[in-house]
Amino acid sequence: MLASMAPPSAPPASAPTPASGETARTYGEVRHVLGGAAELRGALEEASAAGALTVVDWSIPTCGPCQRIRPAFERMARERVSVLFVGVDAAASAENRALAQSAAVRAYPTFHFYVGMRRVAELTGADESRIASLVDRHAPVSARLSRAALDMQAAISAALITLRSSCGSLHEFVAATRTLLVFVGNVVTHPGEAKYRRVRLANAAFQSKLGRHAGGVAAMEAFGFVKEGLGDDAALVMSETNARHEGLPAMRRLLEQALPPTG
């Protein structure tokens, strides 16, 4: 749950929290294991404590498919920074050879997927699309985000903290946030239609529920809107490129999940 969605009695957090029970730990590169079981266990425990998915790539130097999939695996690690990607070269040390045997790795490359110290999936073969599919299936929403999407999340969370502090009640804050979601939802649903990507600052619904609060415009900007024009023509406008930002649908879902249910 986003930190800025805390009720009035809770102190505001200074950093975004991806989802309930998770911490905002990021990695961004493949972690190579040389010390065998103890080192791998340490990595799994670290990821488990952070609520992160761990993907382990088992390989050997003489395996051609292992070498071909390596650049894609490294790219995934850079792009999916909330997932811990681990590389285990079974020939790199005696400890790693023993670890591969104990893990019953019989073919290379093999990929193991761990959540909370438990292996939840296994894949043999250098198939990038299947690896990505299993990451999407087993990672929390926030862990599927690229670095750009995580930057968007941080900006949104900061704006929402300001917005919450400027609202007189939780009810008022929820109404403002739901208004924000209406405008963002229109863009997500109709990214190619300019009329949904433009919100006049004088728009009555925007001003009465969102725009009049500190943080209201900043929240729109965090989602990708940009202020254009002056006076009565002033508007918040999102480019089609921003409307198709990979993080926009995920940020919308996180915000929807953080709000209390209606009714």
Side-chain angles (χ1 to χ4, degrees):
M1 182 176 292
L2 293 176
S4 47
M5 290 294 147
S9 59
S14 58
T17 303
S20 179
E22 299 171 25
T23 59
R25 178 65 192 269
T26 59
Y27 304 97
E29 61 182 4
V30 177
R31 183 176 302 183
H32 295 282
V33 167
L34 295 174
E39 188 176 349
L40 178 59
R41 174 169 287 277
L44 292 174
E45 288 175 345
E46 177 188 321
S48 179
L53 171 70
T54 301
V55 184
V56 181
D57 171 19
W58 301 87
S59 67
I60 53 175
T62 56
C63 165
C66 297
Q67 308 314 313
R68 288 195 294 273
I69 196 64
R70 178 175 293 176
F73 193 72
E74 292 174 344
R75 184 176 64 253
M76 286 186 203
R78 291 192 300 270
E79 294 175 349
R80 300 169 185 252
V81 296
S82 294
V83 175
L84 176 57
F85 289 82
V86 175
V88 180
D89 179 348
S93 66
E95 292 85 355
N96 279 12
R97 283 194 291 274
L99 175 60
Q101 290 176 355
S102 67
V105 177
R106 296 182 175 85
Y108 298 96
T110 289
F111 299 89
H112 289 167
F113 298 76
Y114 290 87
V115 175
M117 301 295 294
R118 183 173 64 89
R119 190 190 303 177
V120 295
E122 179 175 341
L123 170 65
T124 299
D127 190 327
E128 181 181 354
S129 63
R130 291 180 64 195
I131 297 169
S133 177
L134 286 168
V135 169
D136 288 340
R137 181 184 305 173
H138 295 288
V141 170
S142 59
R144 303 168 202 161
L145 305 179
S146 67
R147 190 176 300 276
L150 288 170
D151 289 343
M152 175 185 281
Q153 181 185 9
I156 293 169
S157 190
L160 290 175
I161 289 171
T162 301
L163 179 63
R164 175 64 189 94
S165 66
S166 72
C167 292
S169 66
L170 179 60
H171 175 77
E172 195 173 54
F173 172 63
V174 170
T177 305
R178 292 198 187 284
T179 301
L180 171 65
L181 279 169
V182 168
F183 292 120
V184 172
N186 285 341
V187 170
V188 171
T189 306
H190 309 282
E193 297 187 43
K195 66 180 180 179
Y196 292 108
R197 295 186 275 108
R198 188 177 189 276
V199 180
R200 292 178 59 247
L201 291 177
N203 178 291
F206 172 75
Q207 271 300 325
S208 65
K209 294 184 178 180
L210 181 60
R212 66 187 179 90
H213 297 292
V217 170
M220 294 280 283
E221 290 175 330
F223 273 101
F225 285 91
V226 177
K227 281 192 286 188
E228 293 184 1
L230 298 171
D232 292 340
D233 293 327
L236 288 161
V237 180
M238 186 182 294
S239 67
E240 186 169 349
T241 298
N242 284 354
R244 298 186 185 280
H245 189 292
E246 62 172 331
L248 207 58
M251 292 301 101
R252 176 194 182 191
R253 287 195 300 273
L254 283 176
L255 196 53
E256 288 172 338
Q257 292 166 6
L259 285 173
T262 57

